[in-house]
Amino acid sequence: MGQQETVATSLADTVREGIGAALAQVDADLARRYPGDPGTRQPVHTVYVPGDVFAADTLRSWGDQALAALDAHAPDAAALAAVLDIPDELATDVHDRVRAKLIREPVEDLRIDFEDGYGPRPDAEEDEAAARAAALVAAAHQDGTAAPYMGIRMKCMEAAVRDRGIRTLDIFLTGLMAAGGLPDGLVLTLPKVTYAEQVTAMVRLLEAFEKAHGLESGRIGFEIQIETTQAILGADGRATVARMIEAAEGRATSLHYGTFDYSASCGVSAAHQSLDHPVADHAKAVMQVAAAGTGVRLSDGSTNVLPVGPTDRVHDAWRLHHGLVRRSLARAYYQGWDMHPAHLPTRYAAVYAFYREGLEPAAARLAAYVAKAGGDVMDEPATAKALSGYLLRGLDCGAVDPAEVARLTGLTRADLDALAGRAGEAGEAGEAG
C-alpha cells in the first residue's frame, strides 16, 4: 500500500510509437475535416426578400405584419394553442414569447435575393439594386436595426448567369467595404450548385476579393444551396455534397435544402412538392451525414402555402407550417426558410414549444450526468453533448432564459459550451457566413 504497483506489459514502446507515427496523418485529417461545432448561434430560420423589395424598414415591417396576423387570427394564448394543439401548460408562455420575439427580433436571418426571387433584369437595374442592398445592410448595422445575420443570394455559377452573379456579389461586397467594412453576421448564399468545381470557383472568387482589400484569408464564408440531384449523388455514384464541403476549403458555413427545385429535379409533381416528401427526406439525410462533425450546419427548406385570406384558411396554413417545423426540429434540422411574414408566428411557436417542453427533462438529465447521479437513464458523453446543445439553441433563440437553465442544471453558459464541444464565442453572430 502506498507504493505504485508495477503491471506487466508485453509490447515495447516502439510499437506504440510506430502506431502513432502511422496514424499521424489520419489524426491531422480528422482534425481538419471534422472540427466540430463552430460555437456560433444558428438562426432558426432564413427569410428571403427580393432585391428590389428589400427596404430599410423590411425587418420591422415583417414583424408588424406577423403581429397583425397573430392578433387577427389567434389573439390570445388559448386561441393559438387551439389552432396548433399546444399543450395547455405551455400555451401562455409560448404565446407571450412569440409576441415578444416579433417585437424585439422578428427576423433572425435575412437573405436579399438576386436569384429566383429576383429573376433576370437589365444589368443597370441589378447593379443599382446590389449597391442599394449594400448601403441598406451597412446602415442597418450602424443604427442597430440589423438582423443577427444578413446577406445576399447571388445567381449561380452556371454559364448563363455566372458573370451576372459574380458582378452582383462584387458590387455588394465592395459597397460594404466602402461603408466601413464587412459586418459580423454577413451571410452569402451560392444557389443551384451541381459540381464541386463550382464551389471551388466561389472560393477562388472570395480569395481574390480578400486579396484586393487586404482582408484576412478565409474571412468570407458562404452557404451552399442544395437544389439539384447532382448535388446529392454524382455521376460517379459518390455523395457530391461531401465533395462540395471539401471543395469549400473551410469556407462552407451551411447547407440549405431547396424544396421546390430539388423536388422538381426528381420529377415530383407540383402538388406533392413538400419538405416531408420521401425525396426531400433522402436528400436531407445525405446532407446531414455529410455535414456531421464538419462545423457546417444544415437548413431545411420552405413551404409555399401562405397563411393569407380568411381565418380558416390561415389556420390551415399555420397548422401545416407548424407541423413541418416541428418535424424538422425532431430530425435535427434546426433552421428553415420562411416565405411570408405570417409564417413567423408559427415558426416561433413551433420552435419555442419544442425547447420549452423538453427543458426540464433535458436539464435534469444533464445535471445528473454532471453530478454522476445516475437516475433511470445512463447517459454517455455524446448524449450530454446533445443535451447541452439543445439547451444552448433554446437560449440563443429566446425559447428559454439563462436564469432558468442555471437554476435547473446548476451550469453556466460557459459550462454548457464546454459540454457541447463549442469553440469560440457561442451565441454570437458569426463572421461572413
Side-chain angles (χ1 to χ4, degrees):
M1 300 295 293
Q3 294 183 350
Q4 185 174 357
E5 296 183 9
T6 301
V7 296
T9 61
S10 301
L11 299 176
D13 288 345
T14 54
V15 174
R16 174 182 49 78
E17 293 165 357
I19 290 175
L23 291 178
Q25 185 56 49
V26 170
D27 295 340
D29 204 46
L30 282 169
R32 179 180 66 84
R33 292 175 185 268
Y34 303 103
D37 192 279
T40 55
R41 171 184 178 180
Q42 181 179 13
V44 302
H45 71 167
T46 300
V47 164
Y48 277 74
V49 177
D52 58 333
V53 173
F54 178 60
D57 65 346
T58 291
L59 297 173
R60 187 62 264 152
S61 174
W62 271 62
D64 291 343
Q65 291 179 68
L67 284 166
L70 187 63
D71 290 341
H73 304 294
D76 54 39
L80 186 65
V83 175
L84 303 180
D85 196 25
I86 297 172
D88 291 343
E89 63 271 20
L90 294 178
T92 298
D93 199 3
V94 168
H95 184 270
D96 291 350
R97 286 175 184 271
V98 169
R99 282 197 61 85
K101 180 72 167 183
L102 296 175
I103 293 169
R104 180 184 75 254
E105 186 184 75
V107 175
E108 292 195 358
D109 184 23
L110 177 73
R111 206 69 71 254
I112 306 164
D113 191 18
F114 288 93
E115 204 232 354
D116 284 350
Y118 184 76
R121 306 289 181 96
D123 282 341
E125 183 177 340
E126 186 161 339
D127 283 356
E128 181 180 358
R132 178 173 165 273
L136 289 171
V137 169
H141 279 279
Q142 290 163 5
D143 65 21
T145 61
Y149 296 87
M150 297 179 74
I152 68 167
R153 178 169 71 169
M154 60 189 280
K155 290 178 172 63
C156 69
M157 286 290 181
E158 293 177 356
V161 294
R162 181 186 304 139
D163 289 349
R164 180 62 262 181
I166 292 172
R167 181 171 175 83
T168 296
L169 180 63
D170 189 6
I171 292 170
F172 178 71
L173 293 177
T174 300
L176 289 177
M177 291 299 299
L182 303 182
D184 290 343
L186 172 66
V187 191
L188 307 175
T189 305
L190 179 65
K192 291 184 175 59
V193 183
T194 53
Y195 277 71
E197 288 80 1
Q198 293 168 330
V199 175
T200 299
M202 183 68 165
V203 172
R204 300 288 90 82
L205 178 64
L206 296 176
E207 283 178 342
F209 187 88
E210 289 165 349
K211 184 176 181 180
H213 288 273
L215 297 173
E216 179 185 359
S217 178
R219 167 67 175 85
I220 310 174
F222 60 97
E223 301 168 336
I224 302 171
Q225 196 156 14
I226 306 300
E227 302 177 89
T228 68
T229 56
Q230 295 92 339
I232 295 296
L233 189 68
D236 58 2
R238 296 171 63 189
T240 320
V241 66
R243 296 181 59 208
M244 290 176 179
I245 293 173
E246 178 71 9
E249 299 177 18
R251 293 178 185 262
T253 57
S254 59
L255 305 173
H256 283 233
Y257 176 68
T259 307
F260 305 104
D261 281 291
Y262 188 87
S263 297
S265 73
C266 289
V268 179
S269 61
H272 297 284
Q273 293 175 358
S274 175
L275 299 179
D276 57 357
H277 193 282
V279 302
D281 284 340
H282 172 260
K284 288 178 286 190
V286 175
M287 293 162 62
Q288 188 174 41
V289 173
T294 65
V296 177
R297 266 93 177 247
L298 180 63
S299 174
D300 210 337
S302 62
T303 176
N304 59 359
V305 179
L306 304 184
V308 297
T311 294
D312 59 346
R313 189 177 302 169
V314 171
H315 284 180
D316 286 343
W318 272 357
R319 279 187 284 266
L320 173 65
H321 184 240
H322 183 266
L324 290 171
V325 174
R326 288 280 310 192
R327 185 179 189 273
S328 295
L329 290 169
R331 285 157 175 75
Y333 313 146
Y334 297 115
Q335 185 176 353
W337 296 5
D338 289 325
M339 308 297 286
H340 190 275
H343 279 142
L344 300 185
T346 39
R347 169 67 62 180
Y348 291 122
V351 169
Y352 287 179
F354 177 77
Y355 289 113
R356 292 213 62 78
E357 69 191 19
L359 170 60
E360 292 192 9
R365 286 179 66 179
L366 191 59
Y369 171 83
V370 172
K372 300 294 188 292
D376 59 355
V377 177
M378 184 65 71
D379 286 321
E380 297 186 356
T383 304
K385 182 177 181 179
L387 289 167
S388 55
Y390 173 87
L391 295 175
L392 285 165
R393 285 188 291 273
L395 286 167
D396 286 343
C397 69
V400 301
D401 301 323
E404 61 184 337
V405 173
R407 174 176 57 82
L408 291 168
T409 64
L411 302 173
T412 66
R413 174 80 192 222
D415 295 330
L416 293 175
D417 287 336
L419 286 166
R422 286 191 174 192
E425 295 295 322
E428 299 295 329
E431 292 185 351

